[in-house]
Amino acid sequence: MIRTNELVKVFRTDEVETTALNKVNLEISNGEFVAIMGPSGCGKSTLLNIVGLLDNPTSGELWFNDTEVSKYSERQRTNMRKANIGFVFQSFNLIDELTVFENVELPLLYLNVPSSERKKKVEEVLGKMKIGHRAKHFPQQLSGGQQQRVAIARAVVTKPKLILADEPTGNLDSANGEEVMNLLGHLNEEGTTIVMVTHSPSDAEKAHRIVQLFDGHIVTENVKKLL
């Protein structure tokens, strides 16, 4: 599904040049659950942003479903993201002014899904995430664990091929964190590819493979279990 070849990302200001990724080579297959770990500032989130088509690399190649996309324009990246990728963030990134239902419905609006079909899809995914009883509530009326379940529902309502999760349990207590990891694990068992950035060794243990980054390089890859 994903392949990077000598991927480099350099951030430049007038006075400073920082290499966030330095010749990263990584392959992620359909149906994998991959955890990316490493100290703060090692390039984890930068790699996730490039894989998620939120940014382009400075050099190197990024292949997504057998298409080389590293030079895509912002519009091309947006169109590919909408059709293929769901995001789950540490800070939930829900819109406070919208209800739970409306937050989850947003990606379907962007894809111009008809109203009746949107309603069916949103109700289905909210039920799957066991948050349907909160459909008319606003994010600030929910606990952190409930907000993250809504965020996951929003990420999967379009049935994307890939979910990218950036510290998905970072703002949760251990019980809610475990619940969120179980949800991600279940989605993976159903065939969704998941790439997760995490500082948590226990969360990483749920993945098939752990990729360790340090100073923009992949230093180790540890396969946890057979796919």
Side-chain angles (χ1 to χ4, degrees):
M1 173 178 274
I2 298 163
R3 178 167 60 88
T4 72
N5 181 34
E6 300 289 288
L7 204 68
V8 173
K9 182 63 178 180
V10 178
F11 295 101
R12 295 183 177 93
T13 67
D14 291 340
E15 299 177 356
V16 180
E17 182 176 289
T18 303
T19 300
L21 297 174
N22 193 353
K23 297 184 178 180
V24 170
N25 296 297
L26 178 66
E27 290 194 30
I28 297 169
S29 300
N30 278 315
E32 266 200 287
F33 188 161
V34 177
I36 300 174
M37 301 189 74
S40 296
C42 71
K44 302 186 300 297
S45 292
T46 300
L47 179 58
L48 205 70
N49 285 342
I50 290 175
V51 168
L53 302 174
L54 295 171
D55 197 4
N56 278 340
T58 304
S59 64
E61 296 177 346
L62 172 65
W63 292 79
F64 190 92
N65 285 338
D66 299 320
T67 301
E68 212 285 307
V69 299
S70 64
K71 304 294 192 299
Y72 266 25
S73 67
E74 185 171 349
R75 176 174 290 184
Q76 287 174 307
R77 294 201 311 269
T78 298
N79 289 336
M80 184 164 276
R81 276 200 313 272
K82 286 193 298 186
N84 295 285
I85 304 173
F87 294 88
V88 179
F89 301 97
Q90 177 178 348
S91 56
F92 316 135
N93 283 14
L94 301 176
I95 298 174
D96 290 340
E97 294 77 18
L98 300 182
T99 64
V100 164
F101 185 99
E102 291 165 342
N103 267 281
V104 176
E105 184 184 30
L106 265 182
L108 300 174
L109 285 169
Y110 295 147
L111 292 173
N112 298 315
V113 175
S115 176
S116 59
E117 190 177 343
R118 290 201 309 271
K119 185 174 186 293
K120 180 181 177 182
K121 287 178 179 292
V122 173
E123 289 176 347
E124 179 183 340
V125 75
L126 288 178
K128 187 175 182 179
M129 295 298 147
K130 300 180 181 177
I131 198 72
H133 62 295
R134 296 286 197 173
K136 295 182 180 179
H137 288 71
F138 291 91
Q140 295 305 314
Q141 297 174 297
L142 308 180
S143 69
Q146 289 172 330
Q147 289 188 60
Q148 193 61 295
R149 273 189 274 162
V150 174
I152 293 173
R154 181 185 58 191
V156 303
V157 71
T158 61
K159 297 188 176 177
K161 300 178 179 70
L162 172 67
I163 290 178
L164 300 179
D166 195 353
E167 299 283 1
T169 66
N171 282 338
L172 304 177
D173 60 32
S174 58
N176 281 308
E178 182 71 17
E179 185 176 331
V180 164
M181 288 307 303
N182 288 338
L183 286 171
L184 291 176
H186 183 63
L187 290 167
N188 178 246
E189 289 170 2
E190 293 179 337
T192 305
T193 305
I194 297 177
V195 181
M196 174 182 69
V197 162
T198 183
H199 280 103
S200 168
S202 61
D203 287 357
E205 286 294 322
K206 304 289 177 65
H208 301 142
R209 179 159 50 112
I210 299 174
V211 175
Q212 291 277 356
L213 281 181
F214 187 77
D215 285 350
H217 297 274
I218 292 177
V219 291
T220 62
E221 291 191 50
N222 180 20
V223 177
K224 300 301 298 176
K225 57 187 175 182
L226 293 176
L227 298 180

